[in-house]
Amino acid sequence: MTTRSPETDLGRTRRARRIGRVLTETHPDAHCELDHSNALELSVATILSAQCTDKKVNEVTPKLFARYRTAADYAGADRAELEELIRPTGFYRNKTSSLINLGRALCERYDGEVPGRLADLVTLPGIGRKTANVILGNAFDVPGITVDTHFQRLVQRWGLTTETDPVKIEHAIGALYPKRDWTMLSHRIIFHGRRVCHARKPACGACTLAKLCPAYGTGPTDPVAAAKLLKGPRARDLAAAVGIDPDLVPQQAVAAEVP
């Protein structure tokens, strides 16, 4: 019986880079799934996205953004009115407090503008490090790694880090990739986690990363079974990318809301 020698740091880096290249090919449509047109809107949307799907947030924000256009609007918001607008996103009382306090902090400390530095963003109400990296990467084009539940699950499954603390994960993965790639890498990993590498039953048999993943076999490896687990509008393209008949992907999977 032969035992596989431990992966070297160089080997891990090379495998990580290959994973990144495959993800680029697999998810050419990867992007921030929260609709926004400026840094304030993205900040608000990320606060609303806590314990809520991006799809639901995007259903709520058009009316919200039309009513509240500036930090001062949030600072002076009528609590009952704001609560009612964001109620569908859940935890609306806490989120309302965060939005009002965010507006006040921006007006008092940053002339009503969202700052473009991590050190400043994390001092704002409702904005932690994960949210700050989303804002930096997508509103300011400052590279950032977003460690959400999908990101953490996948990089651990791939054996890229054994860290469990989000900040330590962020630094460990950041060391494996060029800084310029951090933002898009985050989007692609999150896309893969929502569409292919699910928490309970990953679609291992329909995954473009099968040969690079030490956790292959966590989910069904049979192509027919795996194809049924793919989700999202490009589910059939994802099947075709690994040589599976796209017709094996049920229509409801194509129309399914990604988690």
Side-chain angles (χ1 to χ4, degrees):
M1 180 177 177
T2 59
T3 57
R4 182 177 297 178
S5 58
E7 187 174 42
T8 64
D9 289 343
L10 178 59
R12 184 179 302 107
T13 299
R14 285 175 171 168
R15 185 167 59 87
R17 299 287 179 92
R18 287 199 294 272
I19 286 172
R21 289 193 293 271
V22 173
L23 287 174
T24 299
E25 296 172 358
T26 304
H27 303 289
D29 57 330
H31 62 280
C32 177
E33 296 189 272
L34 291 169
D35 294 340
H36 65 280
S37 61
N38 56 54
L40 177 62
E41 289 183 356
L42 182 56
S43 302
V44 170
T46 52
I47 288 173
L48 296 181
S49 70
Q51 305 297 312
C52 181
T53 65
D54 290 354
K55 180 179 179 182
K56 178 58 66 176
V57 173
N58 291 339
E59 290 172 359
V60 167
T61 49
K63 186 178 291 185
L64 180 71
F65 292 161
R67 173 67 181 83
Y68 302 93
R69 297 181 180 275
T70 67
D73 290 338
Y74 287 100
D78 177 82
R79 171 173 283 275
E81 180 187 79
L82 184 51
E83 283 185 356
E84 192 58 33
L85 276 173
I86 68 171
R87 181 188 290 265
T89 68
F91 302 97
Y92 61 92
R93 290 191 178 91
N94 287 342
K95 290 178 181 179
T96 294
S97 295
S98 292
L99 295 181
I100 291 174
N101 289 331
L102 172 65
R104 290 172 179 170
L106 289 176
C107 289
E108 291 168 4
R109 288 152 46 195
Y110 299 104
D111 295 323
E113 299 296 324
V114 176
R117 294 195 321 139
L118 180 66
D120 295 327
L121 285 168
V122 296
T123 68
L124 294 169
I127 296 181
R129 191 178 180 95
K130 180 183 76 173
T131 297
N133 277 324
V134 172
I135 295 167
L136 288 173
N138 297 281
F140 293 101
D141 203 24
V142 175
I145 289 178
T146 304
V147 183
D148 74 348
T149 55
H150 300 289
F151 189 101
Q152 180 168 341
R153 179 177 73 252
L154 269 60
V155 297
Q156 290 172 340
R157 276 183 177 167
W158 296 335
L160 298 184
T161 182
T162 57
E163 299 289 356
T164 56
D165 176 75
V167 177
K168 291 182 179 179
I169 291 172
E170 178 187 333
H171 292 314
I173 301 305
L176 297 173
Y177 294 92
K179 189 172 184 179
R180 65 178 181 274
D181 295 340
W182 287 356
T183 299
M184 284 308 301
L185 175 73
S186 299
H187 290 321
R188 290 168 187 142
I189 290 177
I190 293 168
F191 258 56
H192 201 71
R194 287 174 166 172
R195 290 154 176 78
V196 183
C197 194
H198 312 299
R200 293 183 181 177
K201 286 181 70 176
C204 291
C207 180
T208 54
L209 296 172
K211 293 180 180 179
L212 297 168
C213 181
Y216 177 75
T218 301
T221 58
D222 175 66
V224 176
K228 294 177 181 177
L229 297 173
L230 298 173
K231 287 185 178 180
R234 292 190 64 253
R236 288 177 175 161
D237 293 332
L238 296 174
V242 292
I244 295 176
D245 181 354
D247 290 336
L248 290 174
V249 179
Q251 179 56 39
Q252 58 263 37
V254 177
E257 179 180 337
V258 293

